[in-house]
Amino acid sequence: MENHRGSVTAGKAIRCKAAVSRNPGEALVIEEIEVEPPKSWEVRVKILCTSLCHSDITFWKMSTGPFAIFPRIFGHEAVGVVESVGEHVKEVQEGDLVLPVFHPHCRECRDCKSQKGNGCSVFGYRLNPDMPRDATSRFKGMNGEVLHHFLFVSSFTEYTVVDVAHVVKISSEIPVDKACLLSCGVSTGIGAAWKVADIEGGSTVAIFGLGAVGLAVAEGARLRGASKIIGVDLNPEKFEIGKTFGVTDFINPATCGEKKVSEVIKEMTDGGADYCFECIGLASLMEDAFNSNREGWGKTVILGVEKHGTPLALNTYLLLRGRSVTGCLFGGFKPKSDIPLLAEKYLDKVKKHSCLCLLITCSVHKFAS
C-alpha cells in the first residue's frame, strides 16, 4: 500500500477533519483540526476505517472523575496507513498498514517479556489523557485550543498520532473494514477464550452479553471444542446471530420468571458452567456470572468495564470451594505478537468461510455502529 502524501506532509502539521467531543453526552461535532507531526518514538497514521466500541460511549457519558476530560477525540478501534514516523521508529515505515491499539506493548519491559500476562510496566499504568511519553496532545483546534486524546489512539479523525508502543503492523491483504475490529473487540473476546480461560474440549461455557466481544468469546469457545455455549442476553435476536458462532443455548433473563439466571445455568450444565464470561460491564452481572460457575473449578472472566464504578461483592465461602475470578484486558493478547497471527488466521480461512471471518464481518455491520 503506497502513501503518496508522506514525502509532502512529513514533518509538517496536517489540517484535517475530526469528530470532536466537547462536552459529555453531547453530539460529536465535525471540525477542522490540526495534527502535529510525530515526535521521537511516534507514528502519524492516516485512518482508513474506524468503528465504535461501547467503551467510547461509556467514557463519552462521563461527566465527573479523572476520565471526564474534554474536549477530546474519541475512537480506539481502527486501522490505517503510516503517513510519517518520528525519530527512532524502526518497526514501521511510510505506507505500512497498521492497527493503532489502546493496549501498549513495548517488548522490552519485564511484563512484556513474561508469558504470565500481557501487561506493560513501561506504558501500561499511565492514566494521562494524551501521549504516553510526554503527556501532551498532538491535536489542536483552529483557534489553538488543545484537543485531548483518548486511550492513546483517537481514531475519530482523518489523521492521528500514536506512540510506537501502540502500533501493530499487519498484512496489507486483509480488508480494512474487517481489520479494524482486531484492534479491540474481536481480539478481546477470542483472547479471553484462548489465553485467559484456556478453554478445553468438552467444556461448558456461559457468556453474559452477546455483543461483538461476547460473540468473539463464543467463536473462541467453539474453536476450542466446547460442548455447550450458553448466551445470556435480553435481546432474543442475538440467539440467531450467536448460533453462527457456536452458541448452543440461549437465556433471556426477562423470561426466567422467579428463577435466577445462575439457577437456570446450573440446571443446564449439571451444577454450573466451567467458564463464565461477563461482557457487559455491570457488577451485578459479574456476580451472576460467578454464581453460575461450577463449584470446585469454575472460572469467571471479567471483560466488561464496570459502568458505574460499583465494587464487586462475592461470597468468600464459594471462593474457598475452588471457584475463581480473573480480569481480562485485551483478551490477554500481546498486541505486536498476537494480532498479526490472528490476522493471518483470518486470511487463511477466508476461502473456507470460517466463522472468524463472519464474526468480524457481523461485528462491523451490527455492533460497531
Side-chain angles (χ1 to χ4, degrees):
M1 181 176 294
E2 297 182 3
N3 180 9
H4 299 292
R5 295 190 62 189
S7 60
V8 176
T9 56
K12 303 177 183 178
I14 292 178
R15 288 190 176 186
C16 66
K17 297 291 186 180
V20 179
S21 177
R22 295 204 158 271
N23 294 293
E26 292 184 3
L28 308 187
V29 181
I30 304 299
E31 301 181 14
E32 187 174 34
I33 68 165
E34 188 173 271
V35 183
E36 297 177 359
K39 296 182 180 181
S40 296
W41 308 106
E42 296 177 357
V43 181
R44 189 159 60 184
V45 179
K46 179 180 181 180
I47 298 297
L48 301 178
C49 184
T50 185
S51 58
L52 177 66
C53 174
H54 201 279
S55 294
D56 295 306
I57 299 174
T58 299
F59 283 90
W60 168 67
K61 291 180 178 179
M62 288 185 179
S63 58
T64 59
F67 299 109
I69 301 169
F70 298 87
R72 74 193 313 177
I73 299 174
F74 282 105
H76 67 278
E77 197 172 65
V79 63
V81 62
V82 174
E83 175 271 335
S84 62
V85 301
E87 290 187 68
H88 311 304
V89 175
K90 304 297 183 184
E91 63 183 86
V92 297
Q93 60 184 1
E94 293 177 15
D96 284 345
L97 189 69
V98 295
L99 294 180
V101 293
F102 75 92
H103 195 61
H105 189 188
C106 77
R107 287 179 164 172
E108 299 297 330
C109 70
R110 178 184 177 186
D111 287 299
C112 282
K113 291 180 178 180
S114 172
Q115 296 303 310
K116 296 181 179 180
N118 68 334
C120 176
S121 48
V122 174
F123 298 105
Y125 308 107
R126 300 184 183 182
L127 300 178
N128 70 73
D130 296 310
M131 298 300 292
R133 294 180 195 255
D134 66 4
T136 62
S137 175
R138 302 294 173 266
F139 302 127
K140 289 182 180 179
M142 288 297 94
N143 61 357
E145 76 173 317
V146 172
L147 304 175
H148 296 288
H149 293 242
F150 177 64
L151 292 182
F152 310 111
V153 174
S154 290
S155 59
F156 292 171
T157 173
E158 292 178 304
Y159 287 87
T160 190
V161 178
V162 294
D163 193 276
V164 69
H166 290 267
V167 170
V168 177
K169 181 180 177 180
I170 61 171
S171 170
S172 60
E173 295 180 20
I174 187 169
V176 295
D177 62 335
K178 312 299 189 299
C180 67
L181 271 296
L182 296 177
S183 65
C184 184
V186 169
S187 295
T188 296
I190 292 286
W194 289 355
K195 300 203 72 170
V196 180
D198 194 17
I199 295 173
E200 70 276 2
S203 301
T204 55
V205 174
I207 304 167
F208 290 72
L210 293 180
V213 173
L215 291 176
V217 172
E219 172 65 359
R222 184 193 70 81
L223 292 172
R224 280 293 181 92
S227 61
K228 185 181 290 289
I229 303 173
I230 304 168
V232 182
D233 202 291
L234 289 170
N235 184 352
E237 294 181 7
K238 295 288 185 71
F239 186 30
E240 291 304 314
I241 298 171
K243 288 179 181 178
T244 308
F245 309 109
V247 175
T248 60
D249 299 87
F250 183 79
I251 297 175
N252 184 342
T255 63
C256 289
E258 297 182 357
K259 283 188 176 181
K260 297 180 180 179
V261 171
S262 59
E263 294 175 340
V264 177
I265 291 176
K266 287 180 179 179
E267 292 175 358
M268 296 171 66
T269 57
D270 189 26
D274 298 313
Y275 301 98
C276 290
F277 298 83
E278 200 280 345
C279 306
I280 300 295
L282 291 173
S284 58
L285 290 182
M286 296 174 190
E287 185 175 354
D288 285 346
F290 176 76
N291 291 331
S292 301
N293 266 156
R294 187 173 187 82
E295 186 176 292
W297 64 69
K299 187 172 187 177
T300 299
V301 181
I302 306 298
L303 290 83
V305 178
E306 220 296 323
K307 295 178 175 62
H308 311 295
T310 306
L312 178 60
L314 299 176
N315 186 328
T316 55
Y317 174 75
L318 298 179
L319 285 171
L320 290 173
R321 295 299 295 261
R323 301 183 195 183
S324 63
V325 180
T326 186
C328 175
L329 187 63
F330 201 64
F333 275 163
K334 294 183 182 293
K336 293 181 187 291
S337 53
D338 290 325
I339 290 181
L341 295 177
L342 202 56
E344 288 177 12
K345 187 175 182 63
Y346 170 86
L347 291 172
D348 289 342
K349 298 295 184 179
V350 164
K351 294 182 180 179
K352 299 179 181 178
H353 304 287
S354 79
C355 285
L356 179 59
C357 305
L358 241 134
L359 168 64
I360 297 175
T361 301
C362 283
S363 297
V364 170
H365 295 297
K366 292 184 178 295
F367 302 106
S369 61

